Structure formats: structure tokens, C-alpha cells
Amino acid sequence: GLVKWSLASPVNENKSKEQGGKIMMKQAFYAVLLCIAFSMANAQAASTNTMSDPYSQCVDDTIAELKLAGMNNGVVGACSNQAQAMYTKQIVKLLDQIKKQSKEYQQPERYHDIMKSQQLWKSFVDQECQNAGAYIGSPMYEYCPMQKYAERVEQLKEYVP
């Protein structure tokens, strides 16, 4: 807050300065708390992302191993393919679980419907990533499917209680 200056007596002026100082201290205290909270949240997000994100981990490891100055298309391609292979295995495992549960629940249509959407999803990903590679940039030919496969893993997890 701003301190209002008036033509009041020196006693009132001192009270005004004192109150203004308290308000400024409170604001500074809250600002410091916010900075600490954001720093902690960012640190937590960064540690969570590298632990749970195989692509980012691969990129970090590859750049360090090869002593590269930074990212390049080769790293994007290799790490995208590596992460996508991992996500593909997870998708197959989840679809197998869904198939097993469908048999247990005597709901063959459940598995059939999910497999139908899986085929449609695959066609969508193929076309979408073809577009991304052609119109955004060539690294998207590998990066886009990897992203979509990671998203699909999360979608399929919703079907497996």
C-alpha cells in the first residue's frame, strides 16, 4: 500500500507511516511465501517429470553420454522411438488386461468396442503425425506418435480398475 500524506499533525503522520510500514512488511512476507511455494512446486514438477517421463530421461542421458552441446534431430528421433516402444508395450499389456476382464465380466462387447476404438485411434495418430511431420517439422514424425502413445496409455488405464 501507498501511504497517504496529509496535512495532519506529526503524531497522525507517524501513525500513518507506521501502518504503511506494517502493510508493506505483510506484502513482502506474502511475496516471499509465494516465491517459496512456486519454487517448491517447480522443483517437485521437475523431479516428477524426469522420473516419470522416459523421453526426457533419454534426452538428458543421451546429451550427457555423447557430450552434446544440446538437442538435435537425432536425439529427438532416437529418444522418441525408445519411449514409444515402451508405451507400445504398456498399451499391449493394458489391452490384454481389458480382454481378460471382459471375459471375467462376461462382456465380450467391452473388449470388441475398445479394440474398435483402438483401431480408429491408430488411424488418427498415423494421419495426425503425418500432418505434424509435414507441416510443423520433420522431428514430429517421431515425436508426435510418442506423445500420442503416452496419452493413449493414460486413456486405457481408465478402463482397467
Side-chain angles (χ1 to χ4, degrees):
L2 296 173
V3 177
K4 291 184 180 178
W5 296 99
S6 68
L7 299 174
S9 70
V11 173
N12 286 340
E13 194 174 295
N14 285 339
K15 276 187 182 178
S16 231
K17 283 182 184 177
E18 199 173 292
Q19 288 173 342
K22 284 181 182 177
I23 290 171
M24 287 182 70
M25 286 296 287
K26 265 187 182 178
Q27 288 175 338
F29 176 73
Y30 288 124
V32 169
L33 280 179
L34 277 173
C35 288
I36 291 171
F38 282 125
S39 297
M40 290 173 62
N42 285 338
Q44 178 65 32
S47 70
T48 302
N49 285 346
T50 51
M51 283 185 222
S52 65
D53 179 11
Y55 173 79
S56 296
Q57 189 63 52
C58 174
V59 167
D60 293 343
D61 293 348
T62 303
I63 289 173
E65 256 179 56
L66 300 177
K67 297 179 173 115
L68 299 174
M71 178 73 80
N72 64 41
N73 288 355
V75 174
V76 172
C79 291
S80 294
N81 290 332
Q82 181 180 326
Q84 183 179 342
M86 188 203 75
Y87 293 133
T88 299
K89 288 178 185 175
Q90 290 178 342
I91 288 170
V92 169
K93 185 178 177 184
L94 287 163
L95 290 171
D96 286 345
Q97 287 176 309
I98 292 167
K99 183 178 184 177
K100 182 181 174 189
Q101 287 176 349
S102 295
K103 283 182 183 177
E104 287 174 11
Y105 301 157
Q106 298 180 354
Q107 296 177 323
E109 72 282 353
R110 177 177 182 252
Y111 179 68
H112 173 76
D113 290 345
I114 292 170
M115 287 307 295
K116 184 177 179 182
S117 70
Q118 181 67 18
Q119 290 168 349
L120 293 168
W121 171 83
K122 179 73 170 93
S123 294
F124 163 77
V125 169
D126 290 347
Q127 184 60 55
E128 184 66 20
C129 294
Q130 182 66 33
N131 293 346
Y135 303 115
I136 295 173
S138 62
M140 293 302 286
Y141 287 118
E142 285 87 22
Y143 187 77
C144 174
M146 181 270 306
Q147 282 184 308
K148 301 296 183 195
Y149 278 59
E151 292 167 7
R152 186 64 174 163
V153 167
E154 295 308 312
Q155 290 171 340
L156 289 172
K157 283 180 180 179
E158 294 179 20
Y159 291 103
V160 181

